[in-house]
Amino acid sequence: MEHLINERVKSIQISGIRTFFNMVSRYEDVISLTIGQPDFPTPSHVKDAGKQAIDQNLTSYTHNAGLLELREASARFVNEQYGLSYAPESEVIVTTGASEAIDVTFRTILSEGCEVILPGPVYPGYEPIIRLCGAKPVHADTTKSGFRLTADLIKRHLTEHTRCIVLPYPSNPTGVTLLKDELNDIAALLEKRDIFILSDEIYSELVFNGKHESIATIPSMRDKTIVINGLSKSHSMTGWRIGFIFAPENISRHILKVHQYNVTCASSVSQTAAISALTIGRQDPVKMKGEYEKRMNYVYERLVHMGFEAEKPNGAFYIFPSISPFHQSSFEFALELVEKAGVALVPGSAFSSLGEGYVRLSYAYSMDLLSEALDRMENYLSNR
């Protein structure tokens, strides 16, 4: 019966990150720095709120858009942190993680033949959904612009079919952030164009120098911007699956229909726990961010000492060094590290063809583990 499967589904692949992770899991004594999974436990007060929700039988459906108390808390959070202003009743949707938020957003705004401009290299979770919608991903090469999707790069790829531009900053896989001036330039370019912006800000709380800037704070951009965020990275709640969509009411009301038929609502238990994260846990990300910054500086310095070239990250918990001195494909290099050094990194080709020539290292791991992994890499490469 496989011949009856949707051809678009058959043409997409499992994420290269997961494919490589699964492939190397059969090797023994390998330190894997492949997954963007915070190594901090979910804060105790968040877990307690989830337990209480179960004990109090708060286990039924919620409003399709989520508990109003949670929507209010999330709107208040992004307003106080980033200057974003959204009405909890009509402009906030609680989703089953940021992944579902991306999915329902694309399925709402894209149609056959549309084009979506993405920076390349880029997180691999966008392209398959774009293709499933019958739309075309268009990757702009950011390898010569410090991995930043600039207004000039966007302009080169604009066509009459451009429907959406994705701004995934802070970036996975590069850790790069965008500055206010860069966002202003993009806003000036798009101000009079009917083009959506999907601003994926899931790492917004993990910015090391300065504060996270959202393009939705620019008045001319608010009506065309859909902001995606969530608690997986900021509060170490990956398995709780809580994401958010912030968008003007005339866009949100249509996204809500797709969300409703997709999942009905996010988990009621997780939503209750999320209220605690956004109220009692306002400072939870601060300690984590401080630790990630220490790890980033350590990893960056070690890699540079080994001869790698890398853009120094300013956010998230990834670094994306070039492997050009080693004259191998990213897959060959990563596989060799696994087999001969006992360290697993993600081949850059997992992040579009523009990621070829790089590898991604996640430093969402303890300093002890990072130290051992980098020692193994250095010992192997120095004797290669």
Side-chain angles (χ1 to χ4, degrees):
M1 300 295 286
E2 187 179 4
H3 67 286
L4 299 178
I5 298 294
N6 184 326
E7 288 298 325
R8 289 177 182 161
V9 175
K10 288 164 69 174
S11 69
I12 64 175
Q13 305 295 322
I14 297 295
S15 160
I17 303 171
R18 287 289 176 176
T19 298
F20 196 77
F21 173 80
N22 294 337
M23 187 187 76
V24 303
S25 63
R26 70 176 186 268
Y27 290 85
E28 295 182 0
D29 190 31
V30 170
I31 299 175
S32 178
L33 306 180
T34 57
I35 302 297
Q37 166 72 43
D39 67 324
F40 298 96
T42 300
S44 295
H45 65 89
V46 175
K47 293 188 285 187
D48 289 342
K51 294 171 188 174
Q52 290 170 15
I54 295 171
D55 292 339
Q56 294 170 9
N57 294 315
L58 302 178
T59 55
S60 57
Y61 293 129
T62 71
H63 188 290
N64 294 129
L67 295 169
L68 181 57
E69 185 180 357
L70 177 54
R71 285 180 277 151
E72 290 172 339
S74 63
R76 189 162 53 247
F77 185 90
V78 297
N79 179 255
E80 294 174 0
Q81 292 293 99
Y82 316 123
L84 296 168
S85 180
Y86 292 98
E89 300 84 0
S90 58
E91 297 183 321
V92 181
I93 301 172
V94 183
T95 60
T96 304
S99 296
E100 193 238 336
I102 294 166
D103 176 44
V104 296
T105 295
F106 278 146
R107 287 201 282 146
T108 300
I109 67 174
L110 299 182
S111 52
E112 195 80 25
C114 291
E115 294 178 354
V116 178
I117 298 175
L118 304 141
V122 68
Y123 168 66
Y126 307 110
E127 181 174 344
I129 303 170
I130 293 167
R131 292 193 183 281
L132 286 172
C133 293
K136 177 185 176 183
V138 177
H139 292 95
D141 186 351
T142 65
T143 58
K144 303 297 190 297
S145 62
F147 298 123
R148 291 166 175 81
L149 184 59
T150 65
D152 287 343
L153 281 175
I154 292 171
K155 188 175 182 179
R156 291 179 208 170
H157 295 281
L158 288 174
T159 73
E160 60 181 6
H161 302 294
T162 305
R163 177 65 58 83
C164 178
I165 295 163
V166 178
L167 296 180
Y169 294 97
S171 164
N172 173 9
T174 68
V176 164
T177 57
L178 290 186
L179 301 175
K180 186 71 170 179
D181 287 347
E182 294 169 318
L183 295 174
N184 283 331
D185 289 343
I186 294 172
L189 173 67
L190 301 178
E191 184 175 7
K192 296 181 180 179
R193 290 178 165 91
D194 290 335
I195 296 173
F196 289 108
I197 297 169
L198 188 156
S199 187
D200 185 350
E201 304 179 18
I202 189 67
Y203 295 98
S204 60
E205 282 294 282
L206 304 179
V207 173
F208 305 136
N209 295 305
K211 290 195 68 175
H212 170 70
E213 300 282 355
S214 175
I215 198 168
T217 60
I218 301 172
S220 62
M221 292 295 103
R222 186 187 186 278
D223 287 347
K224 57 184 69 178
T225 300
I226 300 156
V227 176
I228 307 294
N229 214 314
L231 300 179
S232 289
K233 314 301 183 178
S234 61
H235 289 76
S236 195
M237 293 177 64
T238 52
W240 297 79
R241 310 311 300 133
I242 291 292
F244 301 103
I245 297 172
F246 301 94
E249 189 275 336
N250 64 338
I251 300 174
S252 288
R253 65 189 179 91
H254 295 294
I255 297 176
L256 183 61
K257 291 182 284 188
V258 183
H259 166 72
Q260 173 196 345
Y261 290 115
N262 196 26
V263 299
T264 302
C265 63
S267 158
S268 59
V269 172
S270 294
Q271 287 190 61
T272 303
I275 294 170
S276 180
L278 291 174
T279 52
I280 298 171
R282 288 292 299 270
Q283 297 303 310
D284 288 341
V286 176
K287 178 182 177 182
M288 300 183 202
K289 180 173 71 171
E291 184 60 30
Y292 291 138
E293 185 173 13
K294 291 178 187 176
R295 298 175 189 178
M296 179 274 292
N297 284 318
Y298 174 73
V299 169
Y300 176 77
E301 290 169 7
R302 289 289 306 270
L303 289 174
V304 170
H305 179 73
M306 289 182 218
F308 289 94
E309 294 181 0
E311 187 79 22
K312 191 171 186 179
N314 190 43
F317 36 62
Y318 310 104
I319 189 166
F320 203 61
S322 169
I323 57 167
S324 57
F326 303 101
H327 307 292
Q328 289 177 289
S329 72
S330 60
F331 183 85
E332 290 169 341
F333 180 84
L335 185 59
E336 187 174 303
L337 272 187
V338 170
E339 293 178 337
K340 298 183 178 179
V343 178
L345 310 181
V346 181
S349 55
F351 304 94
S352 84
S353 61
L354 292 168
E356 183 53 68
Y358 299 84
V359 288
R360 190 193 76 174
L361 183 156
S362 169
Y363 48 87
Y365 297 89
S366 71
M367 285 292 283
D368 288 344
L369 206 61
L370 291 170
S371 176
E372 172 62 22
L374 291 165
D375 285 347
R376 291 184 182 190
M377 286 177 61
E378 186 166 19
N379 289 336
Y380 169 65
L381 294 173
S382 63
N383 296 300
R384 196 167 183 244

